[in-house]
Every structure is written in C-alpha cells, then in structure tokens.
C-alpha cells in the first residue's frame, strides 16, 4: 500500500458566475520514503492538488470527486479534528514564501513550539526547548538566542530553515514542499534541497516536491509527475523522463532548461502561448493550442493517460494508437 | 453605460442610490411637494399631534407644518453637504496635486500641515470656524470644507506620487505633455474611483456634521428650517410634540444611511479586491 | 524600546510647536475683525479700538504670537474675552468630567463593537455578518444626538429609571455620579460601537487573508490557537493603529453628548465659547483639544511599537 494515494481527484472553485475546474481527475501515489516531483506552470493545478490533500482549499474551492488516502485511510472521510491531527504531524508543509508564512509579531521559536503544543502532550517550556533543538538541527547557529527573534530579523534562507524546522518537528511521514526554493538565491537553494534530502534519509519522510522548474528537481526526485491544465500529462521515473520525454509539453519543458555544458545566459525559448482558461476548458487535448505536433483529431478527442513503459505513462494522442 | 449595468448586481447600493435621488428631487421640488409654506405660522394649531388631517406629521411650537419643514430642511442639508464637499474636493485636490508634483520640501511641509489638521477632529475645526465667522449656512460650508480638506489632499497626493513614478508618465513627459494634461489624462482616471467613494462618504459626514452643528445652535439660523435646528427645538418640546425631533432625526438617519450604503456598494463595485 | 520612546518624545516637541502655529495662523487668517465680531456690529469705533488695545490685538501678528506662545509652557492660555478670567483653570476644571465620560463611552463602545466586529470578521458572509453589516452601518449613520434624545426620553423620562440630565462629581457622591453617567456614556458608546465594530471586522478579515494564518492551519494548530495567536493578535495590532488615527474623530461626538445631557465637560465650555464668540477661548481650546489628540496618537504609536517588533526598525 502506498503512503499517499490520490485517486481521481477533481477540485473546482465554484464562483457565483462561473466554475473554475482547477484539478480534473488527478491520480498518483507516493511511496513511503520516496521523493516525487510535481511539475507544472502556475495555474496548472499543482497547488490546488496540494491544498486538497491537506483539505485547506480556500473558499469557494471544493473537492468535487475522488479520494485521498494516507496509509489506506481516506482523508476526506476524517472529522475536522482528525484532519487537524494529520496536518503538521503526519503530513507537513513547507511553503514558498517563508516570510509570509511566519507570523511577524510572534518570536520564531514560539511558532515552532506551537506545533509541539498542538500535537504532543508537552508543557510550554518543553515545547520551547524542543523548538530550539529543531532550529539547531536545521543549521541555525546560536539557536537559543535566535529563537527569540522575529521573522523579519532573519535572512531568506534562515526563514526557510525555520519553516522546515516547523515541518520536521513531529517527524511527518510526508512532507509537501511547495516551491520552497523559488525565492532564494542559488547557493541557499542547494542548502535547502540538501536539508530536505537529509530529512528523507534521517527521518524516512517521503517528499512531494512541487515546482514549476524541472531543472531544480532533477537531482532530488525519484519520480516526476508533469501537470498541465489540471491533469497529469506525463509521469515516470526521473531518469526515464529525461532520457525519453514523450509528451510534447514535457519535451518543451526539457528543451527550455539551459544545457549544463552550454552558456548559462543562453536561455532557450519557453513554450509559446498560454494554458487554457480553467473556467472554459477545450473539449479535446488541453495542450493542443500550444502543441507543435497538433493534428486535426487533437481538438476533438481528449486523450487518456496510457502506459508507454515501466512506470512511464503519457497523455497524448501520438501514443494512444500504439496501445489499443 | 457599463457602470449602471454593474450597479444592477448590487441591489442594496442601487436602492440606496435611488433613495438619494429621491431626496435630491425632494429638495429640488420642495415648493411643489410641501403641503404648506414651512415658515407659515398658525397659532391655532400649535403642537398638533401625529396624524392630524392636513398636518400628518403634526405641527411645531409655532403651528408650522412639520412635514413641510422636513421637506424644506433637506435643501439646507444637501446644499451645505454638497458645497462643503465640493470645497474640500477642490482645495484638497489642488493642495494634494501641488504637493505630489512639486515633491521635496514643499511636499513635506504641505503634507505635515495636512496631518496636523487631520489630528484636529472635523467637528472641532468646524466649531472654531463657526465661532469666528458667526453661525450661518456659509460658515458651516467653510467650516466643513476646511475640515474635510486634508482627506482629499492625501488621496490626491498619493495618487499623483504613484502615477508620477510610473514609467508611462516619464514617457509622456518626455514627449512634452504639460502637468495639466498629465493630471487630466493620467492622474484623474486613476483616482476617480477612490475619489468617488470618498465623496460619497464625505457627503454622509457632511449631513451628519451639519445636523450636529445645527443641534448645537451653530448652524443655519431660524427661521430657516434645517434638520439639526429642528432637533434642538424638538428636544425642548419633546413632550408636547415628540414628532419634531423624531422625524427630523429619522430624516438625517435615512439620508446618511443611504449615502453610506451607496458608498459601500460603490467601493465594492469599483474595487473588485475589496469584495466583502 | 527606550531609545525609540525618547526619539518619539523628542519629535513631539516640534509637532506641538507646529500645531500652535497652525492654530494661531488659522484663527487669524479667518477674515473679519474678531473684536468687532465679539462685541457686535453696533459697537462704536472707539470702544472697539479700546478693546483691541486692551487685548493687544493692535500689535503685529508675530508679536502677538510670541506673546501667546511664551505663556503656554507655564500653562498660561490667556484670559476669556467676556469674563476676563484665566482660561487654563476653567478648562482644567472641566477635565475630570470630560475624561470620565470619554473613558466610559469608549469602554461601552469597545464592549459592544469589539466582540461583534470580531465575530462578523471571523464568520465573514455568514448571516450574523450580514446582520452586523446592516446594523453597524445603520448605527454609523445614526446622529449621536438623536440616539441620545431617544434614550433620554425612553429610559430617563418615560421610565424614570435614570436621571436624564445633569452631573454630580464622583468625589461628592459616587453612586449619584454613576447614575448620571449611564445615559450619556451609553449614548456615546452606542454611537461609537459601530465604528469600532467595523474597524475590528476589517482588521480581522485582513488578518485572515494572511498566509501565516493559512500556514498555521497547515501546521495543524488547534482552531483556538490559530484564532488567538495568529488572527486576533495581529488584527488587534492593526486595529490599534486605525483606532489611534481616528481617536480625534471618535471623540468629537462627545461634544454633542455633553451638550445634550448637560454634562459639564470641556466640550460644553467650547460650545459656549463659540456661541459667545470668545475668540481667545476658542483659540486655547482648539489648541488643547488638538494637543490631547496628538498625545493620544503618540501613546498609540508607542504601544504599537511595543506590540509589533517591526515598527522600531524604521
């Protein structure tokens, strides 16, 4: 049984005048201790998928269909209180904008201590000491003193470390990292990624890593899911995906990564065009409008996700025919 | 018009807007609508109670018809509030634009001055002005106009400063556009929504403050009928004729409520982010 | 914090000086001859000239200003025009009554506005919130004196529950003093409550949209912890700031309430000065009122700096 199993998830925002279908029938699994990358442009539904897993969809978002199972238990069936006990203890979250995620008027240490107080039977003093311990563990020097500081007194990297400390506090089985390095400069990025890898090797936590950037996740992830317009369009082991990307969208993404040997300045063009409006999705393939290989049939026929190799699946008409 | 179409989606604001329109029309056509001359005294029918045929809202201490006085009172309220806000809008707008465009020391000094004026409550400023000019409709207009000026100056200045630094203004300037043209074409369209909301809110204030001054005996002087003054006399004759104070107060409440509702709706309508 | 406090206090001095200039200039800029206005148009030219001489109004403005401001630090606010009494003791005698009413009114306003506004904000778009929005807007539009009159007639006169007008000093008869306080304080409180409620609602809604609230939920914190430590704590800080900015406006309603209930506060003194067109009294009281509001603003700013660690940086 996988650790996390998202099964045919469909989430939508029901506005008064329109319905935005952000996630449409997404299914995937994360095994215990595995690091999975979930890649897509902004608006592809990757963040909504994450919010659905934690059941923290902002209003008027709704999970319309599907199941989200953690060790076989459907999270959507849990009571509010049960769900609260899952968050932060079994599934922890690391966010992109650490500064915004930290309360500006509460000392850093207290915000980590709050996690212990919420999930374990400890006294405030013990929680504080444990929080200081967590800060030390994520590599913050003079942790006793720094714990009394406020978020704005920390550097960007230290803010992100604080958020990771809060996430690791209760040794979660799954860490969801939503673009945790986007706002940081390159050297700090590497430190944060190393910290996440360390969490996997030391705590055995699985990681679902969300990013819009394939390049960042190549060395981190065991497996990669590519999302486009609310669906998974390709999934497979990292190596396979890099060697033989099948979906034109994946190929486009890979092509826009600057070559390691080439000049770094020389960015290759990103895929031209914009993803479709989630309030008015096309009937056929959702990528058709931007695809270089588009055929007549693409605009009418919505392709299924089909297997093209071991653990490798793609959602494209080009591969549907070969596997009837 | 697009604006009217969108207004239809805010039924409360629309109703409030219609109510304001009705009050404005009442003020304009007061001589047609009022059943009596508001100043006509009739000692035979002093303190006629509520529901007296011919005087449905009763009469006051001089036998004047209360309904007619309330209808005529709307003229004072609206006229004072509209003129005062217009004065504040003009003065504040000019000061704010000047401060915003000149920048530097002039900007700092002007805005410090506005901050100081802002620290003094509007009613206090108004009391000072009326104290020096003597109570009259003109004094009230000047008083409230002065009191509301800092608000508009702040809005105008921040808009000018915001627009001034925008790249397209630099471009327009480089092409030789004059400041007046810039204000008309670039600044004004940008701040129109905020100004509109602020004007509506200030009109509500203006009516309330005019009534407060009237109540304190510092507004329009008798025998002109104004809602504030009616409340003062109404208080003296609370037992003989409760309807004087009751209806004058209700008139203020209804009109101010309508302006506030309209302002609220306007804010939501013009600024989609502040959806309630 | 100490350094910040000293810095702010130091800045307060030029601010007060600026205020004195503004008040002085503003009163002298108003067209018309103040003495003529005070004694009326029928007074003889000689009489007016004599008065101008007596009050030093024939001197250059700068001399008048220096004369006026040099007395201020010692608490000399000048003398009244009609009774020729020193102004400072007159104003000072009114302070206890004014302060008592202001604090009682604010307390009631907070008790009414704060819980309802917070609840409306936390349960935005719920039926309670809609009810709150309509009621608070109606309360916001309610003329204070009308509300006071209704309460006075209803509770004070018809039911004879409470004395409707007047004042007894607390030191003389505490119970009577409080009985007299109830109606004006409730009127003021009910008048201000809607403002505070609306400010509180806006502050809570703003705080709820912050990412750290969302992240607090993601950390699995209990609802109570999230609301207390992540929503309300931050909302109350921003409410404090808005409150500080609007305090002058909030308390200007008190002038009307004092007049309505014959409450012998500073507000009534000012209204009388305005009616009598006592130029010196108006000048002094506007200065004092505005200084008090500036001082309250300063206090609020210091409190804000103490509560919000980000402030002192600037």
């Amino acid at each position: 049984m996988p650790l996390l199993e998202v099964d045919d998830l469909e989430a939508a925002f029901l506005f008064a005048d329109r319905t935005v279908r952000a996630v449409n029938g997404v299914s995937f699994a994360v095994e215990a201790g595995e690091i999975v990358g979930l890649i897509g442009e902004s608006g592809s539904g990757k963040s909504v998928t994450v919010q659905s897993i934690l059941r923290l969809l902002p209003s008027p978002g709704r999970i319309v269909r599907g199941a989200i199972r953690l060790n076989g238990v459907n999270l959507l069936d849990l009571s509010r209180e049960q769900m609260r006990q899952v968050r932060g203890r079994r599934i922890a979250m690391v966010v992109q904008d650490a500064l915004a995620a930290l309360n500006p008027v509460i000392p850093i240490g207290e915000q980590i201590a709050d996690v212990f107080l919420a999930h374990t039977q400890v006294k405030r003093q013990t929680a504080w000491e444990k929080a200081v311990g967590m800060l030390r563990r994520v590599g913050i020097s003079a942790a006793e003193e720094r714990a009394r500081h406020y978020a704005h007194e920390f550097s960007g990297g230290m803010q992100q470390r604080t958020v990771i400390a809060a996430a690791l506090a209760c040794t979660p089985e799954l860490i969801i990292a939503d673009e945790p390095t986007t706002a940081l400069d390159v050297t700090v990025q590497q430190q944060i990624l190393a910290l996440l890898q360390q969490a996997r090797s030391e705590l055995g936590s699985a990681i679902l890593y969300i990013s819009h950037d394939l390049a960042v996740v190549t060395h981190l992830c065991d497996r990669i899911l590519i999302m486009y317009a609310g669906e998974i369009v390709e999934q497979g082991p990292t190596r396979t995906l890099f060697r033989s990307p099948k979906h034109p969208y994946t190929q486009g993404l890979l092509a826009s990564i600057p070559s390691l040997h080439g000049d770094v300045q020389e960015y290759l063009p990103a895929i031209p065009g914009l993803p479709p409006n989630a309030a008015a999705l096309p009937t056929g393939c959702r990528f058709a409008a931007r695809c270089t290989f588009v055929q007549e049939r693409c605009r009418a026929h919505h392709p299924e996700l089909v297997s093209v190799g071991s653990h490798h699946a793609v959602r494209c008409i080009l591969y549907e025919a070969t596997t009837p | 018009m697009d604006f009217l179409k969108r207004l239809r989606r805010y039924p409360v604001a629309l109703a409030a807007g219609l109510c304001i329109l009705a009050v404005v029309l009442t003020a304009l056509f007061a001589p047609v609508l009022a059943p009596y001359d508001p100043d006509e005294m009739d000692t035979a029918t002093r303190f006629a109670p509520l529901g007296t045929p011919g005087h449905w809202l009763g009469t006051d201490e001089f036998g004047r018809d209360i309904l007619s006085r309330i209808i005529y009172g709307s003229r004072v309220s609206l006229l004072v509030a509209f003129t005062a806000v217009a004065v504040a809008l003009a003065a504040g707008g000019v000061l704010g634009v000047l401060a915003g465009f000149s920048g530097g020391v002039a900007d700092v000094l002007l805005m410090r001055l506005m901050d100081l004026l802002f620290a003094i409550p509007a009613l206090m400023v108004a009391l000072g002005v009326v104290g020096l000019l003597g109570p009259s409709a003109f004094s009230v207009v000047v008083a409230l106009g002065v009191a509301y000026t800092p608000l508009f100056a702040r809005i105008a200045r921040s808009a000018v400063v915001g627009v001034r630094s925008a790249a397209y203004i630099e471009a327009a300037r480089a092409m030789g556009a004059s400041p007046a043209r810039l204000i008309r074409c670039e600044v004004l369209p940008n701040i129109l929504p905020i100004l509109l909301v602020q004007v509506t809110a200030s009109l509500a204030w203006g009516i309330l403050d005019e009534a407060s001054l009237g109540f304190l005996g510092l507004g329009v002087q008798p025998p002109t009928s104004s809602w504030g003054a009616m409340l003062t006399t109404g208080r003296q004759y609370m037992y003989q004729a409760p309807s004087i104070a009751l209806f004058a107060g209700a008139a203020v409440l209804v009109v101010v409520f309508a302006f506030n509702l309209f302002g609220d709706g306007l804010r939501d309508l013009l600024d989609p982010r502040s959806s309630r | 914090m100490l350094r910040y406090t000293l810095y702010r206090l130091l800045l307060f001095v030029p601010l007060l000086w600026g205020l004195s200039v503004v008040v002085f200039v503003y009163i002298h800029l108003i067209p018309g001859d103040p003495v003529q206005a005070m004694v009326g148009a029928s007074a003889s030219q000689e009489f007016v000239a004599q008065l101008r001489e007596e009050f030093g109004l024939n001197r250059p403005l700068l001399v008048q200003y220096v004369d006026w401001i040099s007395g201020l630090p010692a608490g000399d606010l000048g003398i009244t025009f009609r009774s020729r009494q020193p102004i400072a003791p007159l104003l000072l005698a009114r302070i206890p009554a004014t302060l008592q009413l202001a604090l009682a009114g604010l307390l009631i306003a907070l008790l009414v506005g704060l819980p309802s506004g917070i609840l409306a904000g936390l349960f935005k778009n719920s039926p309670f919130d809609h009810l709150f929005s309509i009621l608070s807007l109606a309360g916001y539009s309610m003329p204070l004196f009308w509300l006071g009159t209704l309460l006075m007639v209803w509770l004070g006169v018809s039911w004879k529950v409470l004395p409707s007008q007047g004042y007894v000093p607390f030191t003389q008869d505490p119970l009577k003093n409080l009985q007299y306080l109830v109606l004006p304080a409730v009127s003021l409180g009910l008048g201000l409550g809607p403002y505070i409620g609306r400010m509180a609602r806006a502050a809570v809604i703003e705080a709820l949209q912050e990412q750290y609230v969302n992240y607090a939920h993601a950390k699995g914190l209990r609802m109570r912890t999230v609301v207390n430590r992540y929503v309300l704590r931050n909302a109350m800080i921003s409410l404090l700031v808005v409150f500080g900015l609007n305090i002058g406006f909030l308390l200007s309603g008190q002038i009307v309430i004092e007049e309505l209930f014959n409450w012998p506060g500073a507000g009534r003194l000012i209204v009388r000065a305005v009616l009598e067109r006592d130029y010196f009294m108006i000048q002094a009281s506007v200065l004092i009122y505005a200084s008090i509001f500036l001082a309250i603003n300063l206090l609020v700013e210091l409190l804000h700096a103490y509560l919000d660690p980000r402030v002192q940086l600037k």
Side-chain angles (χ1 to χ4, degrees):
Chain A
M1 184 171 39
L3 170 68
L4 175 79
E5 197 183 0
V6 174
D7 187 3
D8 198 20
L9 177 70
E10 189 159 338
F13 290 87
L14 312 172
F15 293 101
D17 51 346
R18 65 195 195 284
T19 298
V20 175
R21 296 170 59 201
V23 176
N24 311 286
V26 164
S27 300
F28 65 90
V30 179
E31 301 292 336
E34 190 185 22
I35 303 187
V36 176
L38 181 59
I39 312 300
E41 293 167 291
S42 53
S44 61
K46 56 191 197 307
S47 291
V48 177
T49 306
V50 168
Q51 288 164 339
S52 303
I53 294 172
L54 285 169
R55 278 175 52 189
L56 285 176
L57 275 178
S59 171
R62 293 269 184 292
I63 295 173
V64 182
R65 193 155 51 93
I68 295 159
R69 286 183 277 271
L70 187 67
N71 285 324
V73 178
N74 189 353
L75 296 181
L76 303 184
D77 295 335
L78 296 186
S79 71
R80 265 186 202 209
E81 174 58 19
Q82 286 169 325
M83 191 60 214
R84 178 188 76 73
Q85 289 172 9
V86 169
R87 290 185 207 119
R89 195 173 64 146
R90 302 184 62 195
I91 305 179
M93 178 92 187
V94 177
V95 289
Q96 177 182 356
D97 187 353
L99 179 61
L102 295 168
N103 189 337
V105 302
I106 294 183
I108 291 292
E110 282 188 33
Q111 298 186 53
I112 301 171
D114 277 347
V115 184
F116 289 111
L117 289 168
H119 297 297
T120 53
Q121 304 289 326
V122 291
K123 292 252 156 43
R124 195 157 272 281
Q125 183 57 35
T126 323
W128 173 265
E129 280 154 17
K130 286 182 148 194
V132 172
M134 285 315 297
L135 282 176
R136 204 174 286 131
R137 196 151 137 201
V138 295
I140 287 178
S141 53
E144 290 89 353
E145 212 217 304
R146 288 284 167 77
R148 282 189 198 90
H149 285 198
Y150 295 91
H152 67 272
E153 297 169 301
F154 274 29
S155 69
M158 276 159 69
Q159 288 160 1
Q160 194 55 273
R161 281 166 195 272
T162 307
V163 168
I164 291 177
L168 299 183
C170 292
T171 329
E173 295 151 74
L174 175 67
I175 298 168
I176 298 176
D178 191 354
E179 311 221 18
T181 64
T182 310
L184 305 172
D185 62 52
V186 182
T187 45
V188 185
Q189 271 187 18
Q190 293 310 317
Q191 293 167 7
I192 296 297
L193 291 180
L195 210 55
L196 287 173
Q197 263 166 331
Q198 193 189 334
R200 192 239 313 241
S201 52
E202 288 177 8
L203 309 176
S205 308
I207 298 172
L208 180 60
Y209 193 100
I210 319 296
S211 180
H212 67 280
D213 186 0
L214 255 177
V216 178
V217 299
T218 42
H219 301 293
L220 183 72
C221 297
D222 306 317
R223 217 147 49 77
I224 285 176
L225 315 165
I226 309 278
M227 252 186 117
Y228 187 81
E231 317 178 299
I232 291 180
V233 292
E234 183 161 7
Q235 62 180 51
T238 309
R239 188 168 302 193
T240 316
L241 217 68
F242 268 75
R243 280 209 193 126
S244 58
K246 297 290 190 229
H247 199 282
Y249 180 61
T250 316
Q251 290 166 357
L253 284 179
L254 280 170
S256 59
I257 299 177
S259 155
L260 285 176
H261 310 290
D263 188 352
V264 185
Q265 298 293 346
E266 179 202 336
Y267 281 106
L268 288 150
I271 307 157
L274 289 170
N277 178 0
L281 289 168
T283 41
C285 174
R286 290 174 188 172
F287 188 61
R290 296 168 77 185
C291 187
T292 25
F293 307 106
V294 65
Q295 304 170 6
E296 197 60 42
R297 219 154 67 82
C298 293
R299 306 199 190 273
H301 171 72
H302 184 245
E304 294 297 318
L305 195 65
V306 292
S307 174
V308 288
S310 91
H311 306 292
H312 191 185
V314 66
R315 187 190 293 278
C316 177
I317 201 169
L318 296 171
Y319 308 96
E320 263 188 333
T322 57
T323 48
Chain B
M1 217 173 95
D2 181 47
F3 175 76
L4 285 176
K5 256 187 206 157
R6 281 198 291 166
L7 191 61
R8 284 229 304 267
R9 280 206 267 132
Y10 293 83
V12 179
L14 186 65
L18 289 177
C19 180
I20 293 169
L21 191 69
V23 175
V24 171
L25 289 177
T26 305
L28 282 177
F29 295 103
V32 185
L33 290 167
Y36 294 90
D37 179 340
D39 301 327
E40 185 189 286
M41 300 188 199
D42 181 1
T43 40
T45 59
R46 293 177 65 211
F47 299 126
L50 201 64
T52 307
H55 297 288
W56 294 107
L57 296 186
T59 57
D60 68 4
E61 77 273 24
F62 296 115
R64 298 176 296 195
D65 182 49
I66 291 174
L67 177 64
S68 305
R69 287 188 72 74
I70 285 180
I71 290 175
Y72 271 89
S74 66
R75 293 186 142 187
V76 173
S77 276
L78 291 184
L79 196 67
V80 166
F82 273 103
T83 344
V85 172
V87 168
L89 183 64
V94 168
L95 286 174
V97 167
L98 272 180
F101 261 110
S102 58
V105 184
D107 180 22
V108 172
L109 278 180
L110 265 176
M111 289 331 282
R112 285 294 115 199
L113 182 72
M114 289 296 127
D115 285 350
L116 269 174
L117 275 180
F118 199 72
I120 312 176
L123 195 60
M124 197 67 216
V125 175
L127 277 178
V129 175
V130 174
L132 299 166
L133 291 182
S136 70
F138 173 73
S139 313
V140 178
V141 167
V142 173
L144 296 182
V146 170
Y148 300 155
T149 296
L151 262 175
F152 291 101
R154 277 185 178 179
I155 295 175
R157 180 191 169 269
S158 63
V160 170
V161 169
V163 170
R164 202 172 57 139
S165 53
Y168 59 94
I169 291 292
E170 291 298 326
R173 263 196 162 167
M175 290 190 304
S178 70
R181 196 186 145 75
L182 284 180
I183 288 168
R184 200 174 63 242
C185 301
E186 309 292 350
V187 179
L188 211 55
N190 271 305
I191 54 171
L192 211 57
I194 321 173
L195 276 185
L196 216 57
V197 171
Q198 190 57 53
V199 162
T200 318
S202 303
L203 285 172
W205 289 129
I207 291 166
L208 263 182
D209 285 342
E210 188 274 328
S212 292
L213 285 173
F215 168 79
L216 294 173
L218 302 170
V220 179
Q221 294 302 295
T224 313
S225 54
S226 101
W227 294 340
M230 285 177 80
L231 276 153
T232 320
T233 48
R235 207 174 104 223
Q236 290 166 30
Y237 303 105
M238 203 64 219
Y239 313 107
Q240 294 99 315
S243 51
I244 307 177
L246 198 69
F247 288 107
V252 176
L253 174 65
V254 167
V255 177
V256 174
F257 193 36
F259 271 108
N260 278 330
L261 275 177
F262 188 68
D264 252 30
L266 208 58
R267 196 186 52 214
D268 292 351
L269 190 137
L270 295 171
D271 180 12
R273 281 169 305 148
S274 80
S275 65
R276 292 187 302 138
Chain C
M1 188 68 210
L2 187 71
R3 260 186 62 197
Y4 181 79
T5 309
L6 286 175
Y7 171 70
R8 298 302 314 204
L9 281 176
L10 219 62
L11 272 185
F12 194 59
V13 178
L15 198 64
L16 278 184
W17 172 74
L19 180 70
S20 77
V21 175
V22 169
V23 170
F24 186 84
V25 168
Y26 157 67
I27 280 179
H28 285 262
L29 267 186
I30 303 259
D33 179 21
V35 174
Q36 192 79 58
M38 283 189 273
V39 293
S42 55
S44 72
Q45 284 300 315
E46 292 81 47
F47 185 50
V48 171
Q50 187 200 324
L51 282 173
R52 288 175 68 87
E53 175 83 38
E54 185 187 343
F55 286 98
L57 291 170
N58 50 353
R59 297 172 297 169
L61 274 185
L62 195 64
V63 177
Q64 288 185 45
Y65 172 72
V66 171
D67 185 35
W68 182 58
I69 196 181
S70 54
L72 292 181
D76 177 12
L77 293 171
I79 55 171
T80 64
F81 179 72
R82 282 193 205 278
S83 55
R84 299 203 165 80
Q85 283 173 294
I87 292 169
L90 277 179
L91 265 174
L92 212 61
R94 301 293 186 112
I95 295 295
T98 286
L99 206 62
Q100 190 190 18
L101 179 56
L103 290 179
L106 268 181
L107 184 72
I108 293 171
L110 287 172
L111 286 176
V112 173
L114 217 46
S116 59
I118 288 173
L119 278 179
L122 287 176
F123 299 99
K124 191 183 155 194
N125 288 332
S126 67
F128 176 79
D129 181 34
H130 291 305
L131 186 72
F132 170 85
S133 289
I134 290 290
L135 281 183
S136 66
L137 204 64
Y140 194 79
S141 313
M142 179 96 72
L144 260 182
F145 45 87
W146 194 58
L147 179 71
T149 309
L150 291 183
L151 280 177
M152 191 163 88
V153 169
W154 183 50
L155 284 176
V157 182
S158 304
W159 283 21
K160 308 233 182 275
V161 189
L162 291 162
S164 55
Q165 281 184 322
Y167 173 75
V168 175
F170 188 78
T171 45
Q172 197 181 315
D173 185 346
L175 191 72
K176 264 233 167 74
N177 166 275
L178 291 178
Q179 280 181 348
Y180 276 113
L181 179 64
V182 172
L183 277 180
V186 167
S187 307
L188 190 60
L190 288 184
L192 300 185
Y195 290 97
I196 296 193
R198 286 172 75 84
M199 288 185 213
R201 177 180 179 273
V204 166
I205 288 173
E206 198 190 307
L208 277 174
Q209 285 163 349
E210 294 289 349
Q211 273 192 48
Y212 52 77
V213 172
N214 201 20
Y215 189 60
H217 281 299
K219 286 194 290 189
L221 304 192
R222 287 188 182 85
M223 198 55 170
R224 190 158 31 92
T225 318
V226 177
V227 169
N228 286 339
R229 280 169 66 77
Y230 291 79
V231 179
L232 291 189
R233 198 179 170 126
N234 297 69
M236 288 309 108
I237 290 175
S238 54
L239 178 65
L240 182 75
V241 176
V242 185
F243 183 76
L245 284 176
N246 288 291
I247 186 88
F249 156 76
L250 285 177
L251 286 182
S252 65
Q254 182 167 358
I255 298 174
V256 173
I257 292 292
E258 285 182 4
E259 186 66 24
L260 178 63
F261 289 97
N262 288 334
W263 188 265
R268 288 201 75 200
L269 196 67
I270 294 159
V271 172
R272 211 182 62 199
V274 171
L275 282 171
E276 290 177 352
R277 315 192 62 182
D278 191 328
Y279 171 88
F280 305 112
M281 185 77 201
I282 294 169
Q283 180 171 288
S285 45
V286 170
L287 179 76
I288 292 302
Y289 248 70
S291 319
I292 291 172
F293 291 125
L294 285 179
I296 296 175
N297 275 337
L298 175 72
L299 262 177
V300 167
E301 269 179 46
L302 289 178
L303 196 59
H304 182 210
Y306 174 72
L307 291 173
D308 188 337
R310 285 168 300 180
V311 175
Q312 291 175 51
L313 280 181
K314 283 184 270 173

